[in-house]
Amino acid sequence: YRDLHTFELQAPTRLIEWARGSRVCVAGYGQSGGNEILQLIPPPTLQAKETQGLCPERDFKVECGGFSKRPVYSLKYVPDTSLLVTSGPPDSSLQVWQVSAEDSDVIKPVGTIVTENGTGQPWAKIATISARAPWVLHGSSLDSVQITEVELRKNVYTAASRDSEELSGLAFLDCNTLLLCCASGRLCLADVRQPQGPVEAVSVPPAPCSERWCLGSGLSSQPVARLSSRGLLTLTDLRKSSESLASAKARVPSPGAGAEFLCVSWAPAREGCLAVSGFDGTVHVYDTQSWDSCGREAEPIFVHKGHAFGGAGGSGDPPLVTVHTWHPQKPRTVLSAASDGSLHVWDWVEPCGKC
């Protein structure tokens, strides 16, 4: 490692979100009430533009926080605002939170976005953008996708689909185009400029139907990445979607029946690098620039094992990495959280000639 910081949370978290001023937002996912939502100030060395050497202050600091009565399975900061949007069981509604001003340390709930026929539906996947106004894209299935103006709680778009297939992820490709990923791995596109317009399936190579798939984050300048519950990775260029751009098998153990913590993300400041987690207590980093379409096992260029050696989780099982995310500017800096409540931020030493 070039640098490693650790922080112990009071409860396991399954999400990390960058907010204003390089703050970090985390939240708990316990089934009982009182799940914390925290905004953390990163260590000074993480905020510095260049490596500063030894620094006496190496811890995260809690800047403000609040409590959610329901588990938080997804959290997104709304750009250019002081708002957060969260979702989680038992339905597909969204909760809107206000991050208080400097004179307060409270994150308080300010409203709920209720979806039509949302009762009994799985928790909603969410994405945010503020190109036109503060928007949140949300849905738990293809026939429930919509966009809501966050501050006014006003519906501005509803996708017309009769397909009730479960969603595993969604994203804004730009202010007009939406990308939807089904749990089966199928990709779909929708256009905001066509109110009540159709959701069109993207022609992609079929995925094994027995697997669950998740959608990779960081889509702006990279191919679409998808990760399966067996560790298969596929990269797709939406301009030539009928054939796989590249594929590989991640060097990870096969998971159990659940695949709820699968996570794959592109490095925003380094071409061709992605990270994979959710199978055990590790995070794997891969250089995809040499991948082809043969699906061979890929060799990671770095494996973060810190969580695996941190002790057993609350259930007595080894800790499981629940989420990771890249630093938006630092090319080799990654944050990761695990089921034992540990939060790590790490920067590895780059091997010569590698990613």
Side-chain angles (χ1 to χ4, degrees), residues 135-200:
W135 283 358
V136 57
L137 168 66
H138 54 105
S140 57
S141 57
L142 279 177
D143 59 358
S144 68
V145 173
Q146 61 187 71
I147 296 174
T148 302
E149 209 283 6
V150 179
E151 294 177 325
L152 301 177
R153 317 285 195 271
K154 177 184 177 182
N155 177 271
V156 296
Y157 171 81
T158 300
S161 176
R162 297 180 179 179
D163 192 331
S164 61
E165 186 171 356
E166 180 185 354
L167 288 175
S168 63
L170 38 70
F172 284 99
L173 292 179
D174 54 44
C175 62
N176 295 314
T177 313
L178 315 177
L179 178 64
L180 315 173
C181 181
C182 298
S184 65
R186 183 161 64 111
L187 295 177
C188 297
L189 293 173
D191 195 321
V192 173
R193 294 164 293 189
Q194 300 177 12
Q196 302 295 329
V199 173
E200 299 179 358

Side-chain angles (χ1 to χ4, degrees), residues 80-165:
D80 303 324
T81 73
S82 58
L83 300 175
L84 300 172
V85 180
T86 65
S87 66
D91 54 38
S92 61
S93 65
L94 310 183
Q95 287 67 53
V96 183
W97 303 80
Q98 174 77 53
V99 180
S100 299
E102 295 180 357
D103 59 347
S104 174
D105 60 358
V106 176
I107 298 177
K108 60 182 179 180
V110 293
T112 300
I113 297 174
V114 179
T115 55
E116 186 177 354
N117 300 323
T119 303
Q121 295 294 317
W123 62 278
K125 282 63 178 179
I126 55 180
T128 55
I129 196 173
S130 62
R132 299 176 182 173
W135 283 358
V136 57
L137 168 66
H138 54 105
S140 57
S141 57
L142 279 177
D143 59 358
S144 68
V145 173
Q146 61 187 71
I147 296 174
T148 302
E149 209 283 6
V150 179
E151 294 177 325
L152 301 177
R153 317 285 195 271
K154 177 184 177 182
N155 177 271
V156 296
Y157 171 81
T158 300
S161 176
R162 297 180 179 179
D163 192 331
S164 61
E165 186 171 356

